[in-house]
Amino acid sequence: MRNKTNMIDNTSGVVGALALAKRFNGNDKVAFIFFDNEEKGLLGSKALSKKMYKDYPDFKNRLVINLDCISSSFEESLWNINSKINTDKYNNLLEAISQKLVKDRTLLNKVTIRSDQLSFKKNSTIAIGKYKKAKLNGFLGLGYYIPNIHSSRDTTMNTEDISKVVEVLYQEL
């Protein structure tokens, strides 16, 4: 059964990852993984990270990029990048992505994107999402939220947002 109310939260990230996978077709240095049960406690990503850390000790040196809620139907929404970089290897990548997406650079790492990248605690991670400033300062922590997710109003997504993320990541990776 098709879910018509998950365009921002889930569909936009899936569409972005699929478009990026198509651009990287044939590149065996990039893997695309889609997780289920994020809202039920990150079950899919926790299971994979546990297995990868156990079976592949070098996995902790890999970069994990999470695309979740990368579209918004609100023009005043702001890009946010939440990152944890364990190695200098990825600092230039993070800086390049940030410069191209984030207008208000004071937001970097100030709004935690609560998504699957949190399961990869040993890895360098970059999570990309789009937020709106709340009218009431302090709502959900720092005054930013993602409108309409987990509601019957999550029915549209902005394909220009998705294209921008895909293009920036493709250029920089």
Side-chain angles (χ1 to χ4, degrees), residues 114-125:
R114 300 195 182 284
S115 189
D116 288 303
Q117 85 282 354
L118 297 175
S119 296
F120 298 91
K121 294 180 181 4
K122 296 178 185 176
N123 295 75
S124 293
T125 60

Side-chain angles (χ1 to χ4, degrees), residues 63-77:
L63 174 66
V64 173
I65 298 176
N66 185 49
L67 305 180
D68 195 8
C69 302
I70 61 168
S71 166
S72 176
S73 55
F74 294 88
E75 286 191 28
E76 65 273 15
S77 292

Side-chain angles (χ1 to χ4, degrees), residues 34-130:
F34 299 84
F35 297 110
D36 198 6
N37 291 313
E38 176 214 15
E39 279 81 7
K40 294 179 182 176
L42 307 176
L43 298 179
S45 58
K46 282 182 181 176
L48 179 70
S49 67
K50 183 178 177 182
K51 178 168 181 46
M52 294 300 285
Y53 292 143
K54 179 182 174 210
D55 296 349
Y56 304 96
D58 190 48
F59 177 70
K60 68 181 180 296
N61 299 320
R62 303 293 177 142
L63 174 66
V64 173
I65 298 176
N66 185 49
L67 305 180
D68 195 8
C69 302
I70 61 168
S71 166
S72 176
S73 55
F74 294 88
E75 286 191 28
E76 65 273 15
S77 292
L78 303 167
W79 289 103
N80 179 53
I81 296 177
N82 190 228
S83 65
K84 178 186 67 115
I85 303 297
N86 298 337
T87 175
D88 290 336
K89 180 178 176 180
Y90 300 117
N91 279 328
N92 290 340
L93 173 64
L94 175 62
E95 182 62 25
I97 294 169
S98 300
Q99 284 181 357
K100 292 180 178 180
L101 288 179
V102 182
K103 289 181 188 173
D104 182 355
R105 303 201 25 108
T106 62
L107 281 180
L108 292 175
N109 287 321
K110 296 215 174 160
V111 178
T112 299
I113 298 173
R114 300 195 182 284
S115 189
D116 288 303
Q117 85 282 354
L118 297 175
S119 296
F120 298 91
K121 294 180 181 4
K122 296 178 185 176
N123 295 75
S124 293
T125 60
I126 297 174
I128 302 173
K130 202 154 189 198

Side-chain angles (χ1 to χ4, degrees), residues 116-164:
D116 288 303
Q117 85 282 354
L118 297 175
S119 296
F120 298 91
K121 294 180 181 4
K122 296 178 185 176
N123 295 75
S124 293
T125 60
I126 297 174
I128 302 173
K130 202 154 189 198
Y131 291 78
K132 182 177 178 185
K133 186 165 180 60
K135 291 181 182 173
L136 299 172
N137 195 16
F139 180 73
L140 292 181
L142 291 171
Y144 295 90
Y145 70 106
I146 303 172
N148 297 339
I149 64 168
H150 305 149
S151 78
S152 61
R153 295 184 308 272
D154 186 1
T155 58
T156 60
M157 66 179 158
N158 183 337
T159 56
E160 289 176 20
D161 287 345
I162 297 167
S163 295
K164 184 172 185 173

